[in-house]
Amino acid sequence: MNQALKDLGDYIATHLPNDVREARLVLDELVLSAPASSIVRVLTFLRDDANCQFKLLMDIAGVDYPDRELRFEVVYNLLSLKHNQRVRVKVATDETAPVPTSTQVFSSAGWFEREAWDLYGILFSDHPDLRRILTDYGFEGHPLRKDF
């Protein structure tokens, strides 16, 4: 077990008790679960806190679990160059409930959110330009959904 990551997870959960539902290690990687409404606060804390310094958003990925009530997970992968650590933050949503955009925290999130919208149909509220990025504008559907 990576004790430094476990300690970091405990630190984050302690400082964001209303925003982090779970902090756990999965295969020696720190994974945080948060409600969609808290994603901006969580990402801002992870970026700005001196013990975190996760300044790089490496990716935002969509995951489809069609048998779940909240069928989609939005997964944010962050990197701290200063501490040489990674963290993964997961939020769950469905086909109609938007996740707040994280473009005000990481400008690169705009492209990743557009990709998640295009391929999965995951909505991001207040996104500055939520439109298709990989499929044609006239394309119907979202090709990475399990039921497409």
Side-chain angles (χ1 to χ4, degrees):
M1 178 196 299
N2 187 328
Q3 190 61 41
L5 282 179
K6 182 178 180 340
D7 292 345
L8 179 61
D10 293 342
Y11 173 82
I12 294 166
T14 299
H15 283 79
L16 297 172
N18 298 321
D19 299 315
V20 173
R21 290 183 177 148
E22 180 181 31
R24 62 189 176 109
L25 291 183
V26 178
L27 301 174
D28 280 338
E29 294 180 356
L30 179 58
V31 179
L32 307 174
S33 297
S37 60
S38 296
I39 192 60
V40 172
R41 275 189 305 280
V42 171
L43 293 176
T44 301
F45 178 84
L46 292 173
R47 181 193 66 192
D48 297 343
D49 184 82
N51 293 316
C52 298
Q53 297 288 303
F54 290 97
K55 300 285 187 184
L56 297 174
L57 174 66
M58 302 306 294
D59 187 28
I60 297 175
V63 184
D64 186 8
Y65 298 100
D67 295 333
R68 293 184 184 176
E69 181 180 343
L70 297 176
R71 76 180 279 178
F72 298 115
E73 279 187 350
V74 182
V75 182
Y76 300 80
N77 294 297
L78 306 174
L79 171 65
S80 171
L81 291 174
K82 179 170 179 143
H83 300 294
N84 192 27
Q85 293 176 321
R86 293 179 183 266
V87 66
R88 180 176 299 135
V89 183
K90 295 182 177 185
V91 301
T93 190
D94 61 21
E95 296 165 325
T96 60
V99 175
T101 187
S102 56
T103 54
Q104 69 270 36
V105 183
F106 295 105
S107 61
S108 63
W111 292 93
F112 298 132
E113 290 174 355
R114 282 181 62 188
E115 183 178 15
W117 154 247
D118 190 7
L119 299 178
Y120 290 96
I122 298 170
L123 296 168
F124 293 91
S125 61
D126 298 320
H127 189 282
D129 188 22
L130 194 61
R131 59 188 165 102
R132 294 202 180 267
I133 192 169
L134 295 173
T135 60
D136 185 64
Y137 291 121
F139 188 84
E140 294 197 22
H142 303 282
L144 290 185
R145 283 189 178 186
K146 302 265 188 210
D147 55 3
F148 178 72

